[in-house]
Amino acid sequence: MDNGPDAERDAILAALKPVVEGIAATFGPVCDVVLHDYRHPEKSVVAVAGAVTGRQVGGAMSEIGMRVLARGGAASDELNYVTRTRDGTLVKSSTMVLRDSTGAVFGALCVNVDVGAVTRVHDLLGALAGLGAAPAELPTTTFGNDIDSVVDALVDAHRSKQRGSWAELDRAERVELFDGLDARGVFAVRGAVEQVAARLGISRASAYNYLSRARAAHDTSTGGST
Protein backbone atom coordinates (compact mmCIF):
# COMPACT_ATOMS: atom_id res chain seq x y z
CA MET A 1 0.00 0.00 0.00
CA ASP A 2 1.36 3.42 -0.99
CA ASN A 3 1.51 5.69 2.06
CA GLY A 4 3.69 8.36 0.41
CA PRO A 5 2.87 12.06 0.12
CA ASP A 6 1.16 11.67 -3.25
CA ALA A 7 -1.24 9.06 -1.84
CA GLU A 8 -2.14 11.41 0.99
CA ARG A 9 -2.67 14.33 -1.37
CA ASP A 10 -4.80 12.22 -3.70
CA ALA A 11 -6.96 11.21 -0.72
CA ILE A 12 -7.46 14.84 0.33
CA LEU A 13 -8.50 15.83 -3.19
CA ALA A 14 -10.88 12.87 -3.44
CA ALA A 15 -12.49 13.84 -0.13
CA LEU A 16 -13.01 17.41 -1.32
CA LYS A 17 -14.70 16.61 -4.64
CA PRO A 18 -18.16 16.18 -3.03
CA VAL A 19 -17.57 19.46 -1.18
CA VAL A 20 -17.10 21.22 -4.52
CA GLU A 21 -20.53 20.08 -5.67
CA GLY A 22 -22.13 20.87 -2.30
CA ILE A 23 -20.91 24.46 -2.10
CA ALA A 24 -21.94 25.21 -5.69
CA ALA A 25 -25.39 23.68 -5.12
CA THR A 26 -25.85 25.77 -1.96
CA PHE A 27 -25.15 29.10 -3.69
CA GLY A 28 -26.76 28.23 -7.02
CA PRO A 29 -25.90 29.54 -10.51
CA VAL A 30 -24.13 32.68 -9.24
CA CYS A 31 -21.31 30.52 -7.84
CA ASP A 32 -18.63 28.20 -9.11
CA VAL A 33 -16.18 26.11 -7.11
CA VAL A 34 -12.86 24.86 -8.46
CA LEU A 35 -10.51 22.27 -6.94
CA HIS A 36 -6.86 22.52 -8.00
CA ASP A 37 -3.97 20.07 -7.85
CA TYR A 38 -0.86 22.23 -8.16
CA ARG A 39 1.36 19.23 -8.82
CA HIS A 40 0.20 19.62 -12.42
CA PRO A 41 0.02 23.40 -13.14
CA GLU A 42 -0.87 23.01 -16.82
CA LYS A 43 -3.94 20.90 -15.94
CA SER A 44 -4.50 21.71 -12.29
CA VAL A 45 -8.32 21.70 -12.30
CA VAL A 46 -9.44 18.30 -10.99
CA ALA A 47 -13.05 19.18 -10.13
CA VAL A 48 -15.37 22.07 -10.95
CA ALA A 49 -19.02 22.90 -10.35
CA GLY A 50 -20.70 25.99 -11.77
CA ALA A 51 -19.86 28.22 -14.71
CA VAL A 52 -18.99 31.70 -13.42
CA THR A 53 -15.33 31.57 -14.51
CA GLY A 54 -15.73 29.05 -17.32
CA ARG A 55 -13.29 26.57 -15.82
CA GLN A 56 -13.17 22.94 -17.00
CA VAL A 57 -11.64 19.79 -15.57
CA GLY A 58 -8.14 19.50 -16.99
CA GLY A 59 -7.80 23.29 -17.29
CA ALA A 60 -4.77 25.24 -16.14
CA MET A 61 -4.36 27.24 -12.97
CA SER A 62 -5.17 30.96 -13.03
CA GLU A 63 -2.70 33.73 -12.26
CA ILE A 64 -3.90 33.52 -8.64
CA GLY A 65 -2.75 29.91 -8.57
CA MET A 66 0.60 30.93 -10.04
CA ARG A 67 1.03 33.41 -7.21
CA VAL A 68 0.21 30.76 -4.60
CA LEU A 69 2.60 28.29 -6.23
CA ALA A 70 5.40 30.86 -6.32
CA ARG A 71 5.03 31.57 -2.60
CA GLY A 72 5.46 27.91 -1.74
CA GLY A 73 5.29 27.19 1.97
CA ALA A 74 4.67 30.88 2.70
CA ALA A 75 1.38 30.83 0.78
CA SER A 76 -1.74 31.68 2.75
CA ASP A 77 -5.49 31.74 2.15
CA GLU A 78 -6.82 34.72 0.19
CA LEU A 79 -10.39 35.36 1.26
CA ASN A 80 -13.18 37.62 -0.07
CA TYR A 81 -11.16 39.48 -2.69
CA VAL A 82 -12.99 41.10 -5.60
CA THR A 83 -11.79 41.02 -9.19
CA ARG A 84 -13.09 41.01 -12.75
CA THR A 85 -12.93 38.26 -15.33
CA ARG A 86 -11.70 39.20 -18.79
CA ASP A 87 -15.31 39.38 -20.01
CA GLY A 88 -16.10 41.96 -17.31
CA THR A 89 -17.92 39.77 -14.79
CA LEU A 90 -17.49 41.09 -11.25
CA VAL A 91 -16.44 38.20 -9.01
CA LYS A 92 -15.86 37.83 -5.28
CA SER A 93 -13.48 34.96 -4.64
CA SER A 94 -11.77 32.99 -1.90
CA THR A 95 -8.75 30.77 -2.46
CA MET A 96 -8.09 28.28 0.32
CA VAL A 97 -4.68 26.64 0.21
CA LEU A 98 -4.44 22.85 0.59
CA ARG A 99 -1.52 21.36 2.54
CA ASP A 100 -0.50 17.82 3.30
CA SER A 101 0.47 16.58 6.78
CA THR A 102 4.00 17.99 6.35
CA GLY A 103 2.61 21.47 5.65
CA ALA A 104 3.58 21.44 1.97
CA VAL A 105 1.20 23.30 -0.37
CA PHE A 106 -0.12 21.09 -3.15
CA GLY A 107 -3.45 22.60 -4.24
CA ALA A 108 -6.32 24.94 -3.51
CA LEU A 109 -10.07 25.08 -3.19
CA CYS A 110 -11.47 28.20 -4.87
CA VAL A 111 -14.96 29.66 -4.53
CA ASN A 112 -16.07 32.34 -7.01
CA VAL A 113 -19.34 34.26 -6.70
CA ASP A 114 -20.75 36.50 -9.44
CA VAL A 115 -21.61 39.69 -7.56
CA GLY A 116 -22.42 41.73 -10.65
CA ALA A 117 -26.18 41.58 -10.04
CA VAL A 118 -25.75 42.74 -6.45
CA THR A 119 -23.51 45.56 -7.61
CA ARG A 120 -26.08 46.71 -10.17
CA VAL A 121 -28.78 46.83 -7.48
CA HIS A 122 -26.39 48.74 -5.21
CA ASP A 123 -25.65 51.26 -7.98
CA LEU A 124 -29.37 51.71 -8.68
CA LEU A 125 -30.13 52.36 -5.02
CA GLY A 126 -27.18 54.74 -4.85
CA ALA A 127 -28.46 56.66 -7.86
CA LEU A 128 -31.95 56.89 -6.35
CA ALA A 129 -30.43 58.13 -3.10
CA GLY A 130 -28.28 60.68 -4.92
CA LEU A 131 -24.97 58.98 -4.16
CA GLY A 132 -22.59 59.43 -7.05
CA ALA A 133 -19.32 57.94 -5.85
CA ALA A 134 -17.37 56.28 -8.65
CA PRO A 135 -16.67 52.58 -8.17
CA ALA A 136 -13.08 51.58 -7.43
CA GLU A 137 -11.07 50.21 -10.32
CA LEU A 138 -10.70 46.46 -9.90
CA PRO A 139 -7.93 44.21 -11.21
CA THR A 140 -8.73 41.85 -14.05
CA THR A 141 -7.95 38.18 -13.47
CA THR A 142 -7.41 35.66 -16.25
CA PHE A 143 -9.27 32.41 -15.63
CA GLY A 144 -7.99 30.42 -18.59
CA ASN A 145 -8.26 26.70 -19.26
CA ASP A 146 -4.77 26.58 -20.75
CA ILE A 147 -1.61 27.89 -19.13
CA ASP A 148 -0.42 29.68 -22.28
CA SER A 149 -3.40 32.06 -22.28
CA VAL A 150 -2.79 32.92 -18.62
CA VAL A 151 0.91 33.64 -19.15
CA ASP A 152 0.18 35.67 -22.30
CA ALA A 153 -2.43 37.75 -20.45
CA LEU A 154 0.01 38.53 -17.64
CA VAL A 155 2.74 39.55 -20.08
CA ASP A 156 0.30 41.81 -21.93
CA ALA A 157 -0.95 43.34 -18.66
CA HIS A 158 2.57 44.22 -17.53
CA ARG A 159 3.52 45.59 -20.95
CA SER A 160 0.44 47.83 -20.92
CA LYS A 161 1.76 49.51 -17.77
CA GLN A 162 4.91 50.56 -19.58
CA ARG A 163 5.50 52.67 -22.63
CA GLY A 164 5.79 51.29 -26.12
CA SER A 165 7.22 47.98 -27.29
CA TRP A 166 10.00 45.92 -25.75
CA ALA A 167 12.53 47.69 -28.00
CA GLU A 168 11.47 51.06 -26.55
CA LEU A 169 11.99 50.01 -22.92
CA ASP A 170 15.25 50.89 -21.22
CA ARG A 171 17.15 48.28 -19.22
CA ALA A 172 15.59 49.25 -15.89
CA GLU A 173 12.08 48.95 -17.36
CA ARG A 174 12.89 45.56 -18.84
CA VAL A 175 14.16 44.30 -15.49
CA GLU A 176 11.05 45.77 -13.85
CA LEU A 177 8.82 43.86 -16.28
CA PHE A 178 10.53 40.56 -15.47
CA ASP A 179 10.40 41.33 -11.75
CA GLY A 180 6.67 41.97 -11.99
CA LEU A 181 6.06 38.73 -13.87
CA ASP A 182 8.18 36.82 -11.35
CA ALA A 183 6.23 38.32 -8.45
CA ARG A 184 2.99 37.08 -10.05
CA GLY A 185 4.36 33.53 -10.14
CA VAL A 186 4.67 33.27 -13.92
CA PHE A 187 8.09 31.62 -13.84
CA ALA A 188 6.95 28.93 -11.41
CA VAL A 189 5.33 27.28 -14.45
CA ARG A 190 7.45 24.95 -16.57
CA GLY A 191 8.37 26.47 -19.94
CA ALA A 192 7.19 29.97 -19.00
CA VAL A 193 10.58 31.62 -19.66
CA GLU A 194 10.53 30.37 -23.24
CA GLN A 195 6.92 31.47 -23.70
CA VAL A 196 7.60 34.95 -22.32
CA ALA A 197 10.65 35.25 -24.59
CA ALA A 198 8.56 34.37 -27.63
CA ARG A 199 5.83 36.79 -26.58
CA LEU A 200 8.35 39.62 -26.25
CA GLY A 201 10.27 38.70 -29.40
CA ILE A 202 13.57 38.11 -27.62
CA SER A 203 15.90 35.15 -27.30
CA ARG A 204 15.59 32.55 -24.56
CA ALA A 205 19.05 33.55 -23.31
CA SER A 206 18.00 37.21 -23.03
CA ALA A 207 14.89 36.26 -21.09
CA TYR A 208 16.92 34.20 -18.61
CA ASN A 209 19.39 37.08 -18.30
CA TYR A 210 16.68 39.63 -17.45
CA LEU A 211 15.05 37.21 -15.02
CA SER A 212 18.40 36.72 -13.29
CA ARG A 213 18.89 40.50 -13.08
CA ALA A 214 15.38 40.98 -11.69
CA ARG A 215 15.89 38.35 -8.98
CA ALA A 216 19.29 39.76 -8.05
CA ALA A 217 17.84 43.28 -7.76
CA HIS A 218 14.94 41.95 -5.69
CA ASP A 219 17.29 40.11 -3.32
CA THR A 220 19.39 43.26 -2.92
CA SER A 221 16.35 45.43 -2.13
CA THR A 222 15.07 42.92 0.45
CA GLY A 223 18.43 42.31 2.07
CA GLY A 224 18.73 38.86 0.57
CA SER A 225 15.57 37.50 2.23
CA THR A 226 13.09 35.27 0.44
Side-chain angles (χ1 to χ4, degrees):
M1 181 176 179
D2 184 2
N3 293 316
D6 281 335
E8 179 192 11
R9 295 167 183 175
D10 289 342
I12 293 171
L13 292 169
L16 285 172
K17 286 183 179 180
V19 176
V20 169
E21 295 289 343
I23 294 173
T26 299
F27 286 93
V30 298
C31 172
D32 75 13
V33 185
V34 186
L35 183 63
H36 289 275
D37 180 354
Y38 289 160
R39 292 172 294 178
H40 309 286
E42 297 84 359
K43 50 180 181 179
S44 71
V45 178
V46 295
V48 60
V52 172
T53 57
R55 312 312 303 279
Q56 299 174 0
V57 171
M61 66 170 60
S62 70
E63 60 189 85
I64 298 164
M66 289 183 181
R67 186 166 65 240
V68 171
L69 191 63
R71 290 174 180 170
S76 60
D77 296 344
E78 297 188 26
L79 306 177
N80 289 327
Y81 56 91
V82 180
T83 185
R84 289 186 186 277
T85 64
R86 287 175 68 81
D87 67 3
T89 302
L90 191 65
V91 178
K92 184 175 76 169
S93 301
S94 288
T95 299
M96 290 150 283
V97 176
L98 302 180
R99 300 177 186 271
D100 61 23
S101 58
T102 70
V105 173
F106 71 93
L109 177 66
C110 303
V111 180
N112 307 294
V113 178
D114 180 354
V115 294
V118 175
T119 301
R120 288 189 291 273
V121 171
H122 176 274
D123 291 344
L124 174 60
L125 293 175
L128 292 172
L131 303 177
E137 185 68 24
L138 294 169
T140 297
T141 299
T142 300
F143 296 99
N145 281 307
D146 66 273
I147 205 73
D148 290 351
S149 67
V150 177
V151 172
D152 284 348
L154 285 170
V155 173
D156 290 344
H158 277 275
R159 289 177 65 185
S160 70
K161 297 176 184 177
Q162 296 170 314
R163 68 173 194 273
S165 66
W166 171 261
E168 295 174 284
L169 302 181
D170 60 31
R171 176 171 294 182
E173 289 170 326
R174 293 178 179 184
V175 171
E176 181 183 354
L177 188 153
F178 271 83
D179 183 60
L181 293 175
D182 200 25
R184 300 292 287 273
V186 168
F187 299 113
V189 177
R190 184 175 63 250
V193 173
E194 291 81 357
Q195 185 179 341
V196 170
R199 189 71 173 178
L200 295 174
I202 61 177
S203 70
R204 179 173 175 268
S206 292
Y208 274 106
N209 179 50
Y210 280 107
L211 178 58
S212 177
R213 289 175 180 271
R215 288 177 171 171
H218 182 80
D219 288 345
T220 299
S221 67
T222 58
S225 62
T226 57

